[in-house]
């Protein structure tokens, strides 16, 4: 029987689980509500139940699982497999998630942060395939990141490397949820894009977005991109603000890690190729002229499955390296 790898993507709303074979084929997947408020033990129960159900419904058994991987949000101690704290998981304080899950599944478990897991998925099976030096950014409520350098994830000594969203691009700039000012996340996340549009509308800017704003009291990032595509001047300005900050971020990061490819993921990439093109445009405005920079800027290809593919692929990687 072929051995398979179980990937678990722990989110604030849903637990996703999937099975991967050695060739990165996603054999099956499922999702269940997390109910994070019930605390770590209940969440571990939910994960193991979800995994067991997934296997049995697809004619698989726990015996065929070689190892599992789990991706978690929050601040983590990767080496210890601990969740130190996570905003959507108020009862998770210094929780040894990796070892708790490993005991329950009776399998080795690989532990990673959610953005790094998605980054690994794109690197091995998605838009980063064939590239050994890659940067990855998720554009959602916040901005998460991942670095592949010479074929390996970069964690940093304290496991907080690749927090791209909190790179400061504007001295004394907009306040960020993290407490810093001028973080790129405060300009270019989906939430910040919607917020900047709302502020302009509140201040009286003329826009085709006004009707939505008057009805709902705010606008979404999706609204802004839709009205940008229709040529609304305010929406175009807001989107260009988002993309210019991301272009600047790409320049700064290029000078640190020298990537061959930069992959954007997250809800905002539903806007399509226009997003990558606009980021590229601003990147070209800001980059030095000492030499051409042929770095590719593109969109992720695995969508919502990146978390489960990445965690399972990390378990596979650990097996191949003899690290299970
Ligand atoms: Zn910040």
């Amino acid at each position: 029987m072929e051995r398979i790898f179980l990937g678990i993507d722990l989110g604030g709303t849903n637990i996703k689980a999937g099975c991967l074979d050695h060739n990165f084929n996603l054999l099956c997947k499922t999702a269940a509500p997390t109910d994070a408020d019930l605390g770590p033990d209940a969440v571990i129960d939910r994960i193991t139940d979800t995994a067991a159900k997934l296997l049995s419904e697809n004619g698989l058994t726990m015996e065929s699982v070689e190892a599992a991987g789990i991706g978690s949000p929050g601040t983590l101690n990767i080496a210890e497999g601990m969740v130190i704290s996570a905003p959507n998981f108020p009862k998770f304080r210094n929780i040894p998630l990796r070892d708790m899950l490993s005991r329950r599944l009776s399998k080795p478990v690989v532990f990673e942060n959610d953005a790094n897991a998605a980054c690994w998925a794109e690197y091995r099976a998605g838009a980063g395939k064939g590239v050994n030096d890659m940067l990855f950014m998720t554009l959602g409520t916040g901005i998460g990141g991942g670095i592949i350098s010479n074929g390996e994830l970069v964690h940093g000594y304290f496991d907080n490397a690749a927090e791209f969203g909190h790179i400061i691009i504007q001295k004394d700039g907009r306040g960020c949820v993290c407490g810093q000012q001028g973080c790129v996340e405060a300009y270019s996340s989906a939430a910040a894009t919607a917020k900047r549009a709302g502020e302009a509308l509140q201040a009286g800017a003329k826009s085709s977005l006004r009707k939505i704003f008057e009805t709902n009291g705010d606008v979404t990032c999706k609204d802004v991109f839709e009205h940008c595509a229709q040529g609304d001047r305010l929406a175009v300005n807001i989107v260009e603000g988002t993309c210019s900050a991301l272009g600047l971020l790409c320049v700064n990061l290029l000078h640190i890690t020298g990537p061959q490819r930069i992959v954007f993921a997250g809800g905002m990439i539903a806007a399509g190729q226009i997003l990558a093109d606009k980021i590229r445009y601003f990147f070209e405005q800001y980059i030095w002229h000492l030499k051409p920079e042929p770095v590719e800027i593109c969109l992720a290809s695995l969508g919502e499955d990146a978390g489960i593919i990445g965690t399972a692929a990390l378990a596979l990687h650990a097996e191949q390296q003899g690290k299970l």
Side-chain angles (χ1 to χ4, degrees), residues 163-168 174-186:
E163 286 288 355
F164 299 150
H166 305 289
I167 286 176
I168 295 175
R174 293 174 68 88
C176 181
V177 287
C178 75
Q180 294 177 177
Q181 278 180 278
C183 293
V184 67
E185 180 168 307

Side-chain angles (χ1 to χ4, degrees), residues 14-292:
N14 285 307
I15 293 161
K16 294 179 197 154
C19 294
L20 206 68
D21 68 14
H22 275 89
N23 296 315
F24 304 103
N25 296 308
L26 186 59
L27 305 172
C28 52
K29 61 173 179 174
T30 189
T34 307
D35 293 332
D37 287 346
L38 299 176
D41 289 317
V43 170
I44 293 279
D45 284 345
R46 182 65 59 85
I47 293 170
T48 45
D49 291 350
T50 304
K53 194 157 166 271
L54 173 71
L55 292 167
S56 71
E57 283 178 358
N58 290 279
L60 300 162
T61 61
M62 197 52 90
E63 286 70 53
S64 63
V65 174
E66 182 77 39
I70 182 164
S72 171
T75 53
L76 314 176
N77 181 327
I78 302 282
E80 301 290 329
M82 301 252 293
V83 178
I84 298 168
S85 71
N88 293 323
F89 294 76
K91 291 184 179 161
F92 282 58
R93 286 263 160 199
N94 301 316
I95 300 298
L97 190 64
R98 180 193 63 202
D99 292 349
M100 286 170 78
L101 185 62
S102 181
R103 271 197 298 275
R104 288 293 302 274
L105 295 175
S106 303
K107 299 286 172 187
V109 172
V110 172
F111 181 70
E112 190 48 85
N113 86 46
D114 48 6
N116 279 349
C119 174
W120 189 259
E122 292 293 339
Y123 162 56
R124 295 315 303 264
K129 241 160 112 172
V131 162
N132 267 342
D133 290 277
M134 173 189 132
L135 297 177
F136 173 82
M137 275 175 249
T138 59
L139 307 173
T141 309
I143 295 180
I147 302 168
I148 304 287
S149 183
N150 201 18
E152 291 291 338
L153 278 168
V154 174
H155 290 103
Y157 188 76
F158 296 107
D159 294 331
N160 290 126
E163 286 288 355
F164 299 150
H166 305 289
I167 286 176
I168 295 175
I169 56 161
Q170 180 76 52
K171 183 172 175 286
D172 302 325
R174 293 174 68 88
C176 181
V177 287
C178 75
Q180 294 177 177
Q181 278 180 278
C183 293
V184 67
E185 180 168 307
Y187 296 84
S188 298
S189 66
T193 301
K195 192 171 173 210
R196 287 189 299 107
E199 287 168 3
L201 289 158
Q202 188 67 46
K206 250 186 83 192
S207 169
S208 56
L209 286 162
R210 178 150 308 278
K211 212 174 148 197
I212 300 171
F213 185 68
E214 310 265 284
T215 310
N216 301 341
D218 57 17
V219 293
T220 65
C221 180
K222 189 165 169 272
D223 296 330
V224 177
F225 271 88
E226 279 171 10
H227 286 246
C228 171
Q230 292 158 15
D232 176 65
R233 182 171 290 273
L234 173 71
V236 169
N237 284 342
I238 297 293
V239 165
E240 289 189 344
T242 294
C243 294
S244 64
L246 293 172
L248 186 56
L249 178 65
C250 287
V251 171
N252 291 339
L253 292 173
L254 175 132
H255 291 312
I256 301 170
T257 69
Q260 183 181 351
R261 194 172 293 167
I262 301 175
V263 177
F264 284 92
M268 202 191 288
I269 73 165
Q273 188 59 30
I274 185 179
L275 178 71
D277 291 346
K278 279 190 184 289
I279 295 169
R280 178 90 218 177
Y281 170 81
F282 287 105
F283 173 83
E284 297 293 348
Q285 302 297 305
Y286 299 134
I287 191 72
W288 65 7
H289 298 143
L290 295 180
K291 68 180 194 60

